[in-house]
Amino acid sequence: MAIGDIIVGIDIGTSKVSLVIGEVNNFNQIEVICTATHKCSGIKKGKIIDENEIASSIHHLIKDAEEEADIKINSAYVTIPGKYIIVKEAKDRYAGISAKDVVSAIMQVKDIDVPEGKQIIDVVESQFILENGRNVSDPVGSLSGSFTLKAEVILADKEYMKQIASIFKKADLDIDGLVPITLAQRTLALDANELNDSVMLL
């Protein structure tokens, strides 16, 4: 992110579609400049039942937000149910840890049997543990004989993903990225210390 960048996020709920627009400030933080909601009944019990209804709601939502924030919105991040989480460890041995080594470990984490109808949408690194047992947020450059990566592999329904892509195409909007709801809620509710202190969010 660069100073002045505009970030748009959309959440599709069971009764409404919500939007937030943020601008990256001088402290590299996202400062909220606009929020908006629009009624929508296109989702029931977590399943999309009316793509056109959702697309129409997003279209009206974008129009209202553009008028309020006085900007043109062409794309947005969207939250999706990413409730299927697999925790996996990857271990490897190196003389000195490089970025390539970390990528290799992440590829090991992704090497799982994905259930039928699901696909990997994100891998969240939760811990890097060096050979001496020390936890680090970034192991690159560490002179350690080995390291262990503990990560969460987040899965989503393939059909839901196809429907989201279809909805945003109908709304004439590009998707910047997918944000699993589980991660969004965790980041919103917990501070940096709680995220690393085995705190459970119910």
Side-chain angles (χ1 to χ4, degrees):
M1 296 186 300
I3 295 173
D5 281 355
I6 299 296
I7 310 294
V8 180
I10 293 177
D11 178 70
I12 304 171
T14 54
S15 62
K16 64 181 179 180
V17 177
S18 303
L19 173 147
V20 61
I21 302 174
E23 181 177 2
V24 180
N25 61 24
N26 294 332
F27 302 100
N28 204 35
Q29 298 172 330
I30 299 177
E31 186 174 330
V32 176
I33 60 175
C34 175
T35 61
T37 61
H38 194 280
K39 290 183 178 179
C40 180
S41 55
I43 288 185
K44 186 175 182 180
K45 294 182 178 179
K47 295 187 178 296
I48 296 173
I49 59 173
D50 192 334
E51 290 187 11
N52 292 328
E53 163 76 9
I54 298 173
S56 176
S57 295
I58 291 175
H59 176 75
H60 289 295
L61 183 66
I62 293 295
K63 185 178 179 180
D64 291 344
E66 287 179 334
E67 292 179 358
E68 181 178 341
D70 193 25
I71 61 172
K72 176 64 177 175
I73 299 173
N74 299 308
S75 61
Y77 290 89
V78 59
T79 58
I80 61 169
K83 58 185 178 180
Y84 306 94
I85 299 178
I86 297 172
V87 179
K88 186 174 179 180
E89 295 184 12
K91 297 182 179 180
D92 225 319
R93 180 169 293 278
Y94 305 98
I97 302 172
S98 66
K100 184 178 179 180
D101 299 330
V102 174
V103 171
S104 175
I106 292 174
M107 294 304 296
Q108 290 182 49
V109 170
K110 288 183 177 181
D111 186 19
I112 61 172
D113 292 326
V114 179
E116 184 72 24
K118 303 290 187 295
Q119 70 181 71
I120 297 174
I121 59 170
D122 206 352
V123 173
V124 181
E125 304 101 9
S126 57
Q127 278 186 312
F128 287 99
I129 306 172
L130 302 182
E131 187 177 36
N132 60 7
R134 185 165 64 93
N135 290 331
V136 294
S137 57
D138 183 1
V140 175
S142 298
L143 296 177
S144 177
S146 66
F147 76 96
T148 299
L149 164 63
K150 291 186 178 181
E152 297 171 350
V153 182
I154 302 178
L155 311 177
D157 290 303
K158 285 184 178 180
E159 183 59 30
Y160 190 95
M161 301 284 290
K162 289 180 182 178
Q163 289 179 297
I164 287 293
S166 174
I167 288 168
F168 271 70
K169 186 175 181 179
K170 291 176 181 178
D172 196 25
L173 202 64
D174 292 330
I175 298 177
D176 286 327
L178 304 170
V179 182
I181 293 175
T182 49
L183 293 185
Q185 291 173 335
R186 184 178 72 175
T187 304
L188 179 65
L190 304 177
D191 61 30
N193 291 327
E194 291 171 332
L195 285 172
N196 297 307
D197 285 344
S198 301
V199 173
M200 179 180 290
L201 178 64
L202 298 178

